[in-house]
Amino acid sequence: MNRVVQPKPEYWAEAGSAASAIQLAGINVTFGSGNKKVEAIANIDLNVSQGEFVSLIGHSGCGKSTLLRVIADIIKPTRGSALIYGESPDMARRARTFSMVFQQSVLMPWSTVLENVRLPFKVGSRNLQSSSQAMDAVEALRLVELDGFATAKPAELSGGMRQRVAIARALVTKPRILLMDEPFGALDELVRDTLNVELLKIWRKAGTTIVFVTHSLHEAVFLSQRVVVMSRRPSHIEGIMEVDLPSERTLDLKDDPRIGAQVAQLRSMLDAG
Ligand SMILES: Nc1ncnc2c1ncn2[C@@H]1O[C@H](COP(=O)(O)OP(=O)(O)O)[C@@H](O)[C@H]1O
Ligand SMILES: [Mg+2]
């Protein structure tokens, strides 16, 4: 099994630290009450280290998005504790410690690409633009290789390009953690493959920690250092697989038989749950 290799950060993560980025302990999430009660997450403990790329996989409706939303302070857990660099999700949200990217890019259709990337400066924290936490929107666009499209409108872009704008918008606040909920799930396979490689480049350059939800086992193996397998609802962690692949992952690795073998291993872990 591979040692987990920390990417060399160039942009904003602190170098050389093996700090815990995310610590989840005894997380339970129950929605509703009475006979409408749904226990989504039963008992989840998970630590994610700074700079790690971790994917969450599990059957549809098992609670992947719910777990990501607990980290993002969108949902309060019914029981258990979530710490982001030792702080509550609420404090981490206000400090812009994390950003989230969803399956739909949710861009403002009447605004240009650049204005869309600048949006986080206009909402929430008023003094962000002047703080050292902010990255120039142009630089964020360069990071996703869209610097030539600053003045374009979202409708002029392909689905894959729109997702790249959403990633640039998430990066512009220099988050230490990027939470991604099936960000490439609506794209066709070829575009997804290209964006997978680009995301890894960004991850290395930025030195950010990524928690990535996907229903594609193949994508999870290709991208991650660790894959967390969630059981069916009420979900717990069925197992965690350390991915055994070279740390440099290029497009030709997509067809590597080692990926197929690890996908099969994940599938049997999913079936067990
Ligand atoms: N706000 C909510 N209110 C009630 N039930 C919810 C809510 N959000 C999610 N659920 C339920 O919790 C379970 C887990 O949902 P979700 O986290 O979206 O699953 P996944 O992302 O793994 O497909 C599902 O049964 C879903 O219907
Ligand atoms: Mg989901």
Side-chain angles (χ1 to χ4, degrees):
M1 287 288 151
N2 256 11
R3 194 168 58 88
V4 173
V5 180
Q6 299 283 343
K8 189 168 157 284
E10 286 177 24
Y11 274 78
W12 58 83
E14 285 154 28
S17 164
S20 242
I22 300 167
Q23 292 170 289
L24 305 175
I27 297 288
N28 172 290
V29 178
T30 304
F31 294 109
S33 57
N35 56 7
K36 290 213 177 102
K37 198 156 130 175
V38 175
E39 192 180 12
I41 294 175
N43 184 11
I44 283 191
D45 299 319
L46 179 68
N47 281 352
V48 178
S49 301
Q50 173 165 293
E52 243 194 307
F53 197 126
V54 173
S55 289
L56 305 178
I57 62 161
H59 294 280
S60 179
C62 80
K64 301 178 294 295
S65 296
T66 301
L67 191 62
L68 215 58
R69 287 181 187 138
V70 166
I71 301 168
D73 193 42
I74 299 168
I75 293 174
K76 299 267 180 251
T78 312
R79 282 196 306 277
S81 96
L83 291 176
I84 320 286
Y85 284 101
E87 294 186 329
S88 68
D90 171 52
M91 285 167 78
R93 178 176 48 76
R94 283 186 274 146
R96 310 260 186 161
T97 306
F98 58 80
S99 292
M100 201 149 173
V101 179
F102 301 94
Q103 185 168 338
Q104 302 299 334
S105 52
V106 251
L107 303 178
M108 301 294 168
W110 55 86
S111 301
T112 65
V113 162
L114 193 64
E115 284 161 355
N116 268 287
V117 174
R118 287 202 173 119
L119 201 64
F121 298 136
K122 298 198 174 132
V123 292
S125 174
R126 261 173 250 110
N127 56 8
L128 188 70
Q129 190 124 41
S130 60
S131 89
S132 61
Q133 215 185 358
M135 188 198 323
D136 184 9
V138 175
E139 192 187 344
L141 274 181
R142 206 174 298 130
L143 213 49
V144 298
E145 293 173 10
L146 276 185
D147 33 331
F149 293 84
T151 57
K153 295 283 173 64
E156 299 167 55
L157 306 179
S158 68
M161 288 160 88
R162 283 201 289 272
Q163 264 333 67
R164 275 149 68 187
V165 176
I167 293 170
R169 185 180 53 194
L171 291 171
V172 82
T173 53
K174 286 191 171 185
R176 297 173 88 181
I177 302 171
L178 205 50
L179 304 170
M180 309 185 85
D181 196 351
E182 306 204 26
F184 310 137
L187 304 175
D188 69 57
E189 208 180 329
L190 291 178
V191 176
R192 175 192 279 227
D193 285 353
T194 310
L195 282 180
N196 280 176
V197 173
E198 284 181 15
L199 178 63
L200 287 177
K201 274 195 214 153
I202 292 167
W203 169 63
R204 285 184 177 284
K205 239 178 174 170
T208 185
T209 304
I210 298 185
V211 183
F212 190 96
V213 170
T214 177
H215 58 250
S216 164
L217 309 187
H218 193 275
E219 183 176 46
V221 172
F222 179 75
L223 289 175
S224 319
Q225 295 175 309
R226 286 195 299 155
V227 182
V228 176
V229 181
M230 291 169 68
S231 73
R232 285 194 170 80
R233 206 160 48 76
S235 67
H236 55 266
I237 292 178
E238 193 58 38
I240 298 180
M241 191 179 86
E242 281 204 28
V243 175
D244 184 17
L245 285 177
S247 60
E248 194 67 40
R249 301 189 190 171
T250 47
L251 212 45
D252 53 319
L253 195 66
K254 281 259 172 189
D255 299 319
D256 194 291
R258 284 173 291 182
I259 293 194
Q262 289 171 87
V263 164
Q265 201 181 327
L266 286 177
R267 194 165 283 125
S268 66
M269 284 161 86
L270 273 176
D271 290 344

